[in-house]
mmCIF file of all heavy atoms in Angstrom:
data_model
loop_
_atom_site.group_PDB
_atom_site.id
_atom_site.type_symbol
_atom_site.label_atom_id
_atom_site.label_comp_id
_atom_site.label_asym_id
_atom_site.label_seq_id
_atom_site.Cartn_x
_atom_site.Cartn_y
_atom_site.Cartn_z
ATOM 1 N N PRO A 1 -2.263 15.252 -10.689
ATOM 2 C CA PRO A 1 -3.661 15.884 -10.634
ATOM 3 C C PRO A 1 -4.725 15.137 -11.218
ATOM 4 O O PRO A 1 -4.566 14.766 -12.369
ATOM 5 C CB PRO A 1 -3.552 17.250 -11.255
ATOM 6 C CG PRO A 1 -2.004 17.488 -11.476
ATOM 7 C CD PRO A 1 -1.407 16.176 -11.422
ATOM 8 N N MET A 2 -5.713 14.696 -10.592
ATOM 9 C CA MET A 2 -6.711 13.778 -11.097
ATOM 10 C C MET A 2 -8.161 14.250 -10.616
ATOM 11 O O MET A 2 -8.249 14.678 -9.588
ATOM 12 C CB MET A 2 -6.438 12.218 -10.650
ATOM 13 C CG MET A 2 -5.123 11.624 -11.069
ATOM 14 S SD MET A 2 -4.935 11.366 -12.729
ATOM 15 C CE MET A 2 -5.999 9.913 -12.917
ATOM 16 N N LEU A 3 -9.168 13.772 -11.332
ATOM 17 C CA LEU A 3 -10.467 14.043 -10.803
ATOM 18 C C LEU A 3 -10.825 13.094 -9.537
ATOM 19 O O LEU A 3 -11.434 13.536 -8.674
ATOM 20 C CB LEU A 3 -11.544 13.617 -11.889
ATOM 21 C CG LEU A 3 -11.466 14.702 -13.112
ATOM 22 C CD1 LEU A 3 -12.470 14.134 -14.181
ATOM 23 C CD2 LEU A 3 -11.843 16.157 -12.712
ATOM 24 N N LYS A 4 -10.257 11.936 -9.664
ATOM 25 C CA LYS A 4 -10.371 10.984 -8.478
ATOM 26 C C LYS A 4 -9.077 11.000 -7.750
ATOM 27 O O LYS A 4 -8.042 10.762 -8.167
ATOM 28 C CB LYS A 4 -10.753 9.538 -8.926
ATOM 29 C CG LYS A 4 -12.055 9.484 -9.511
ATOM 30 C CD LYS A 4 -12.381 7.993 -9.882
ATOM 31 C CE LYS A 4 -13.818 7.800 -10.375
ATOM 32 N NZ LYS A 4 -14.080 6.326 -10.575
ATOM 33 N N GLY A 5 -9.198 11.361 -6.465
ATOM 34 C CA GLY A 5 -7.900 11.504 -5.673
ATOM 35 C C GLY A 5 -7.714 10.239 -4.830
ATOM 36 O O GLY A 5 -8.610 9.543 -4.673
ATOM 37 N N SER A 6 -6.551 10.122 -4.275
ATOM 38 C CA SER A 6 -6.228 9.053 -3.286
ATOM 39 C C SER A 6 -6.696 9.386 -1.873
ATOM 40 O O SER A 6 -6.907 10.627 -1.715
ATOM 41 C CB SER A 6 -4.882 8.669 -3.371
ATOM 42 O OG SER A 6 -3.968 9.797 -3.252
ATOM 43 N N THR A 7 -6.706 8.556 -0.946
ATOM 44 C CA THR A 7 -6.969 8.720 0.421
ATOM 45 C C THR A 7 -6.045 8.168 1.373
ATOM 46 O O THR A 7 -5.556 7.060 1.037
ATOM 47 C CB THR A 7 -8.410 8.322 0.682
ATOM 48 O OG1 THR A 7 -8.531 6.909 0.547
ATOM 49 C CG2 THR A 7 -9.418 9.038 -0.258
ATOM 50 N N ASP A 8 -5.763 8.768 2.367
ATOM 51 C CA ASP A 8 -4.817 8.183 3.446
ATOM 52 C C ASP A 8 -3.550 7.810 3.009
ATOM 53 O O ASP A 8 -3.249 6.602 2.774
ATOM 54 C CB ASP A 8 -5.647 7.074 4.112
ATOM 55 C CG ASP A 8 -6.886 7.556 4.789
ATOM 56 O OD1 ASP A 8 -7.011 8.644 5.132
ATOM 57 O OD2 ASP A 8 -7.751 6.531 5.086
ATOM 58 N N ILE A 9 -2.651 8.792 2.722
ATOM 59 C CA ILE A 9 -1.332 8.450 2.218
ATOM 60 C C ILE A 9 -0.338 9.023 3.425
ATOM 61 O O ILE A 9 -0.613 10.110 3.866
ATOM 62 C CB ILE A 9 -0.946 9.317 0.891
ATOM 63 C CG1 ILE A 9 -2.121 9.062 -0.131
ATOM 64 C CG2 ILE A 9 0.363 9.057 0.466
ATOM 65 C CD1 ILE A 9 -2.166 7.661 -0.522
ATOM 66 N N HIS A 10 0.600 8.176 3.790
ATOM 67 C CA HIS A 10 1.476 8.462 4.828
ATOM 68 C C HIS A 10 2.842 8.279 4.271
ATOM 69 O O HIS A 10 3.242 7.179 3.937
ATOM 70 C CB HIS A 10 1.200 7.398 5.949
ATOM 71 C CG HIS A 10 1.797 7.984 7.251
ATOM 72 N ND1 HIS A 10 1.580 7.229 8.468
ATOM 73 C CD2 HIS A 10 2.801 8.909 7.486
ATOM 74 C CE1 HIS A 10 2.262 7.922 9.391
ATOM 75 N NE2 HIS A 10 2.962 8.810 8.866
ATOM 76 N N VAL A 11 3.686 9.419 4.228
ATOM 77 C CA VAL A 11 5.050 9.306 3.910
ATOM 78 C C VAL A 11 5.994 9.632 5.070
ATOM 79 O O VAL A 11 5.899 10.804 5.524
ATOM 80 C CB VAL A 11 5.259 10.383 2.714
ATOM 81 C CG1 VAL A 11 6.719 10.178 2.192
ATOM 82 C CG2 VAL A 11 4.341 10.183 1.468
ATOM 83 N N SER A 12 6.592 8.651 5.543
ATOM 84 C CA SER A 12 7.264 8.933 6.897
ATOM 85 C C SER A 12 8.655 8.134 6.875
ATOM 86 O O SER A 12 8.862 7.115 6.353
ATOM 87 C CB SER A 12 6.215 8.210 7.894
ATOM 88 O OG SER A 12 6.910 8.323 9.254
ATOM 89 N N ASP A 13 9.568 8.786 7.538
ATOM 90 C CA ASP A 13 10.973 8.216 7.930
ATOM 91 C C ASP A 13 11.660 7.825 6.668
ATOM 92 O O ASP A 13 12.428 6.914 6.783
ATOM 93 C CB ASP A 13 10.769 6.976 8.768
ATOM 94 C CG ASP A 13 10.004 7.299 10.236
ATOM 95 O OD1 ASP A 13 10.470 8.219 10.867
ATOM 96 O OD2 ASP A 13 9.001 6.733 10.324
ATOM 97 N N ASN A 14 11.517 8.537 5.596
ATOM 98 C CA ASN A 14 12.324 8.261 4.412
ATOM 99 C C ASN A 14 13.542 9.377 4.322
ATOM 100 O O ASN A 14 13.368 10.402 4.944
ATOM 101 C CB ASN A 14 11.390 8.468 3.219
ATOM 102 C CG ASN A 14 10.198 7.606 3.142
ATOM 103 O OD1 ASN A 14 10.460 6.355 2.933
ATOM 104 N ND2 ASN A 14 9.092 8.089 3.522
ATOM 105 N N VAL A 15 14.371 8.855 3.521
ATOM 106 C CA VAL A 15 15.541 9.731 3.059
ATOM 107 C C VAL A 15 15.277 10.023 1.623
ATOM 108 O O VAL A 15 15.406 9.123 0.759
ATOM 109 C CB VAL A 15 16.957 9.217 3.279
ATOM 110 C CG1 VAL A 15 17.996 10.104 2.730
ATOM 111 C CG2 VAL A 15 17.177 9.057 4.841
ATOM 112 N N LEU A 16 14.956 11.284 1.290
ATOM 113 C CA LEU A 16 14.579 11.663 -0.056
ATOM 114 C C LEU A 16 15.746 12.726 -0.528
ATOM 115 O O LEU A 16 15.890 13.707 0.214
ATOM 116 C CB LEU A 16 13.248 12.417 -0.131
ATOM 117 C CG LEU A 16 12.039 11.496 0.534
ATOM 118 C CD1 LEU A 16 10.786 12.438 0.392
ATOM 119 C CD2 LEU A 16 11.958 10.196 -0.012
ATOM 120 N N LYS A 17 16.335 12.535 -1.615
ATOM 121 C CA LYS A 17 17.460 13.206 -2.040
ATOM 122 C C LYS A 17 17.679 13.473 -3.441
ATOM 123 O O LYS A 17 17.263 12.756 -4.247
ATOM 124 C CB LYS A 17 18.745 12.699 -1.344
ATOM 125 C CG LYS A 17 19.009 11.294 -1.884
ATOM 126 C CD LYS A 17 20.221 10.627 -1.212
ATOM 127 C CE LYS A 17 20.523 9.169 -1.872
ATOM 128 N NZ LYS A 17 21.765 8.662 -1.128
ATOM 129 N N ASP A 18 18.261 14.645 -3.663
ATOM 130 C CA ASP A 18 18.891 15.002 -4.966
ATOM 131 C C ASP A 18 17.824 14.846 -6.191
ATOM 132 O O ASP A 18 18.108 14.056 -7.227
ATOM 133 C CB ASP A 18 20.179 14.159 -5.198
ATOM 134 C CG ASP A 18 21.205 14.212 -4.258
ATOM 135 O OD1 ASP A 18 21.188 15.339 -3.610
ATOM 136 O OD2 ASP A 18 21.985 13.314 -3.904
ATOM 137 N N SER A 19 16.763 15.427 -6.100
ATOM 138 C CA SER A 19 15.672 15.411 -7.027
ATOM 139 C C SER A 19 15.189 16.684 -7.362
ATOM 140 O O SER A 19 15.571 17.831 -6.714
ATOM 141 C CB SER A 19 14.690 14.360 -6.626
ATOM 142 O OG SER A 19 15.139 13.110 -6.259
ATOM 143 N N GLU A 20 14.183 16.869 -8.215
ATOM 144 C CA GLU A 20 13.358 18.131 -8.459
ATOM 145 C C GLU A 20 12.556 18.373 -7.161
ATOM 146 O O GLU A 20 12.356 19.458 -6.665
ATOM 147 C CB GLU A 20 12.718 18.206 -9.764
ATOM 148 C CG GLU A 20 13.547 18.359 -11.041
ATOM 149 C CD GLU A 20 14.142 19.674 -11.088
ATOM 150 O OE1 GLU A 20 13.584 20.672 -10.574
ATOM 151 O OE2 GLU A 20 15.243 19.729 -11.656
ATOM 152 N N TYR A 21 11.735 17.264 -6.715
ATOM 153 C CA TYR A 21 10.842 17.354 -5.663
ATOM 154 C C TYR A 21 11.055 16.222 -4.773
ATOM 155 O O TYR A 21 11.351 14.993 -5.331
ATOM 156 C CB TYR A 21 9.345 17.270 -6.220
ATOM 157 C CG TYR A 21 9.005 18.445 -7.101
ATOM 158 C CD1 TYR A 21 9.178 18.312 -8.525
ATOM 159 C CD2 TYR A 21 8.364 19.673 -6.690
ATOM 160 C CE1 TYR A 21 8.864 19.436 -9.357
ATOM 161 C CE2 TYR A 21 8.006 20.674 -7.544
ATOM 162 C CZ TYR A 21 8.301 20.505 -8.973
ATOM 163 O OH TYR A 21 7.923 21.515 -9.834
ATOM 164 N N GLY A 22 10.805 16.392 -3.439
ATOM 165 C CA GLY A 22 10.799 15.405 -2.563
ATOM 166 C C GLY A 22 9.429 14.686 -2.640
ATOM 167 O O GLY A 22 9.301 13.403 -2.974
ATOM 168 N N VAL A 23 8.385 15.466 -2.097
ATOM 169 C CA VAL A 23 7.032 15.011 -2.158
ATOM 170 C C VAL A 23 6.114 15.978 -2.962
ATOM 171 O O VAL A 23 6.114 17.098 -2.401
ATOM 172 C CB VAL A 23 6.461 14.649 -0.694
ATOM 173 C CG1 VAL A 23 5.077 14.152 -0.697
ATOM 174 C CG2 VAL A 23 7.307 13.727 0.058
ATOM 175 N N SER A 24 5.528 15.476 -3.917
ATOM 176 C CA SER A 24 4.689 16.463 -4.771
ATOM 177 C C SER A 24 3.285 15.767 -4.953
ATOM 178 O O SER A 24 3.217 14.885 -5.574
ATOM 179 C CB SER A 24 5.403 16.703 -6.140
ATOM 180 O OG SER A 24 4.573 17.562 -6.895
#
């Protein structure tokens, strides 16, 4: 969480596993 945010983020075709969060 930031006052300045990022722009245009693309999360695609990944294998995300065995964590607390995949994409947060």
Side-chain angles (χ1 to χ4, degrees):
M2 303 288 289
L3 292 176
K4 291 185 175 182
S6 53
T7 61
D8 297 339
I9 308 298
H10 195 168
V11 183
S12 178
D13 298 302
N14 302 282
V15 175
L16 311 178
K17 59 184 182 179
D18 304 331
S19 309
E20 287 291 331
Y21 300 89
V23 179
S24 179

